[in-house]
Amino acid sequence: MLNKLSVKLALVIGMIVFCSVVVSYLTARHQVTESVVMATKQGLYRDLLLNKEMIEQKPRQWQTSEQVNIWAKQVARTLEVRVTLIDLDGMVISDSSLPPSKIALMENHKERPEVKNALENGYGENTRYSQTVKEYQLYMAVPVGLPKPYAILRFSKPLYDIGFFDTGIRQEITPSLFLALFLSLIAGFLAAFFLARPIRTLAFTAQKRIHGDISGSITLHRKDETGVIARALNVMTDEIRKLQHREEWLRAVFSGIREAIIVTDATGDITMVNPAASRMFRINGSMFKPRPLSHLSDSKLQELFARVHSTRVTLHKEELSLMTTKGARIMQISSMPLTKEELFTGTVFVLNDITKLRNLEKIRRDFVASVSHELRTPLTVITGYTETLLDGAMHEPEHATAFLQTILLATEQLTALVNDVLDLSRIESGQIEYTFSAVDLKRMVQKSVDLLKPALDKKQIRLDIHIPDGLPTVYADPRYLDIVVRNLLDNAIKYVDDQNGKIRITAFKSDDHLRLEIEDNGIGIAKSDLGRIFERFYRVDKARSRERGGTGLGLAIVKHIVMAHKGNIDVRSRVNLGSVFTLMLRTEWVDEEGSPLKQNPQTTQDPL
């Protein structure tokens, strides 16, 4: 583009200079030619008048036509003109360009324009092609004779002298014109180069700006139009830098905001989404890319945005269940209209995911309700039997002992419930400090079996333990790992039938974990309940659980302890066929990113 501009400027400047030279040449040539013609005419006219005065009185020596011819030839030779003497009737008396023998054969000249004008006006002039001498001639004629004209004296001069002069001018000037053309083009290219140099600088800078490079500035200290454009480009570059800095600042601010932020313009189209909104609603593209509302994945959100845009209402913490990349979430939506000079320019929407908050509130309500319900049952038993004893049953030993045993059982159940609630609260609040060390899982299982052996013997449960020797140790807190194993084994004992109960405990290595499985042939767990058995106070068989002294918190405590050990617990079960609880524990300790630690930590706090 720049080369084309330079060439165009060079051609334009060169052609202007060349045309100026050509026009000057043509004008000068015309003026010179006119001057030569005028000088020729004046000289010819002067000679004609001079000779007219000499022969105003007819010379005496003109006795014969031969003497007249001699005079005509002498004058013609002296003045380098053609001399013709014509009588008043138009007959040629003498002509310096013809021999005497041919003069008589010449046409009558009375109707010749110069002759006719000379007779009528005293002077005649004409330019035409002469049939006699076969060339263009300039003719001038005047009458001679006083007091009465006796003849017409005519001088003529060929125009080839003027043509020769004009040809000479052309021959001399033409090479100069080509030289002028060449020099004009050179001058044009030089002028174009120097004129286009600031334009090239401007164009180069503009190309950089188009491709996003805003580095540097234009250093053109000129006061012409290019200087004005350079200063304008520098100002625009500074504004672009400011806008980019502001955009980067906004991008950083919006990227750091956890809430989803969506901005729409006056037409209702989306003009900005922060990363949180992009992830939540699968909105692809850059943060400030314009896009229609149809890019929102949830139709209810589209309808809400359209309603706010059409009615200009302001939302204040309006809750709406929306489909996001994380599934159905409860969103708290607020909006604020944007105005500029009292004109509506768009709306800012802030969407806060309060699903966890609402779930926590529900959990709190359920927990309070569950604790109240769990406390009410043993308290009701204690209150009822106490009132019975106070009403006189205490004086009946056979009944009083049974009532007191029932009160004691309810008190133990109440104590266990309170202790479990306190333990779970401490675990969830992260107040427990774990002391990790290498633990022999086989010895830990055997310890729990020994503690629960009376219950196993009472129900005549068949217990099979398959834990091979030489398994690697697991890194855990022995106290809390004992709670996990004892809870799982205690649950298996509770939910198997007397005499027909079977429990199988196996352990083996799986990659960098030890896998412990506790399998029973008890009542099993329905598929619909499998996802909730680790919730607080959730019981598959509430009546049977209370009957066996369960609080409904054991598996919740187990899950939190296993998570604190960076392990995993899972369950498989079929109704009336039994259950298999699988515990996965690491054989080496890792950091938060999953990288093995060279030295195992001795103490850590429950992250939950």
Side-chain angles (χ1 to χ4, degrees), residues 124-143:
E125 179 183 327
N126 191 28
T127 302
R128 66 176 180 278
Y129 183 77
S130 174
Q131 294 295 334
T132 303
V133 297
K134 307 299 183 184
E135 63 183 7
Y136 279 95
Q137 298 271 330
L138 172 62
Y139 296 96
M140 290 185 180
V142 292

Side-chain angles (χ1 to χ4, degrees), residues 264-372:
T264 60
D265 59 14
T267 62
D269 292 334
I270 299 172
T271 57
M272 193 282 291
V273 290
N274 71 334
S278 298
R279 292 190 299 269
M280 188 174 294
F281 300 106
R282 290 194 184 93
I283 303 175
N284 299 321
S286 62
M287 183 183 297
F288 296 97
K289 176 184 177 182
R291 45 179 71 83
L293 279 180
S294 58
H295 280 225
L296 294 175
S297 56
D298 193 283
S299 59
K300 290 188 291 185
L301 189 60
Q302 294 182 26
E303 294 173 1
L304 177 66
F305 278 29
R307 176 169 62 86
V308 172
H309 175 72
S310 59
T311 59
R312 303 288 196 273
V313 296
T314 299
L315 302 179
H316 182 67
K317 295 183 178 181
E318 181 171 325
E319 294 186 11
L320 188 65
S321 178
L322 301 175
M323 287 301 300
T324 68
T325 54
K326 297 180 180 180
R329 309 294 289 180
I330 301 174
M331 308 300 295
Q332 190 178 75
I333 306 173
S334 299
S335 69
M336 182 178 66
L338 299 176
T339 58
K340 185 177 182 181
E341 297 179 356
E342 299 183 356
L343 293 176
F344 176 75
T345 59
T347 307
V348 177
F349 293 90
V350 180
L351 299 91
N352 188 17
D353 186 355
I354 59 171
T355 306
K356 185 178 293 185
L357 177 62
R358 292 293 178 260
N359 289 340
L360 289 174
E361 291 176 352
K362 182 177 183 300
I363 291 173
R364 179 180 57 81
R365 291 193 301 269
D366 293 344
F367 179 75
V368 172
S370 298
V371 169
S372 301

Side-chain angles (χ1 to χ4, degrees), residues 110-307:
K110 188 173 184 178
E111 296 300 324
R112 300 292 169 88
E114 68 277 8
V115 175
K116 188 175 181 180
N117 287 332
L119 289 173
E120 294 177 354
N121 303 318
Y123 173 75
E125 179 183 327
N126 191 28
T127 302
R128 66 176 180 278
Y129 183 77
S130 174
Q131 294 295 334
T132 303
V133 297
K134 307 299 183 184
E135 63 183 7
Y136 279 95
Q137 298 271 330
L138 172 62
Y139 296 96
M140 290 185 180
V142 292
V144 294
L146 289 175
K148 182 179 180 181
Y150 63 87
I152 301 296
L153 177 62
R154 186 183 73 177
F155 280 8
S156 64
K157 192 169 187 177
L159 293 178
Y160 75 85
D161 291 338
I162 299 174
F164 179 77
F165 175 78
D166 187 54
T167 302
I169 291 177
R170 286 200 304 270
Q171 290 176 349
E172 292 293 331
I173 295 298
T174 300
S176 300
L177 287 178
F178 283 107
L179 179 60
L181 175 61
F182 177 72
L183 294 177
S184 299
L185 291 176
I186 292 177
F189 275 106
L190 291 175
F193 176 78
F194 287 107
L195 287 175
R197 185 164 58 181
I199 299 177
R200 284 195 298 271
T201 302
L202 295 175
F204 176 73
T205 305
Q207 284 292 108
K208 288 173 59 179
R209 301 297 182 263
I210 290 173
H211 292 90
D213 184 1
I214 59 171
S215 60
S217 59
I218 305 174
T219 56
L220 285 179
H221 303 290
R222 304 168 65 99
K223 295 184 179 180
D224 55 6
E225 289 79 359
T226 55
V228 174
I229 297 174
R231 288 189 291 274
L233 278 175
N234 287 334
V235 171
M236 286 190 289
T237 300
D238 292 339
E239 291 298 322
I240 292 173
R241 289 196 186 102
K242 292 178 182 178
L243 290 174
Q244 284 189 344
H245 178 72
R246 182 182 178 188
E247 181 178 340
E248 291 172 358
W249 183 82
L250 289 174
R251 192 184 300 275
V253 170
F254 286 129
S255 298
I257 296 176
R258 296 174 56 188
E259 291 79 7
I261 298 178
I262 301 176
V263 180
T264 60
D265 59 14
T267 62
D269 292 334
I270 299 172
T271 57
M272 193 282 291
V273 290
N274 71 334
S278 298
R279 292 190 299 269
M280 188 174 294
F281 300 106
R282 290 194 184 93
I283 303 175
N284 299 321
S286 62
M287 183 183 297
F288 296 97
K289 176 184 177 182
R291 45 179 71 83
L293 279 180
S294 58
H295 280 225
L296 294 175
S297 56
D298 193 283
S299 59
K300 290 188 291 185
L301 189 60
Q302 294 182 26
E303 294 173 1
L304 177 66
F305 278 29
R307 176 169 62 86

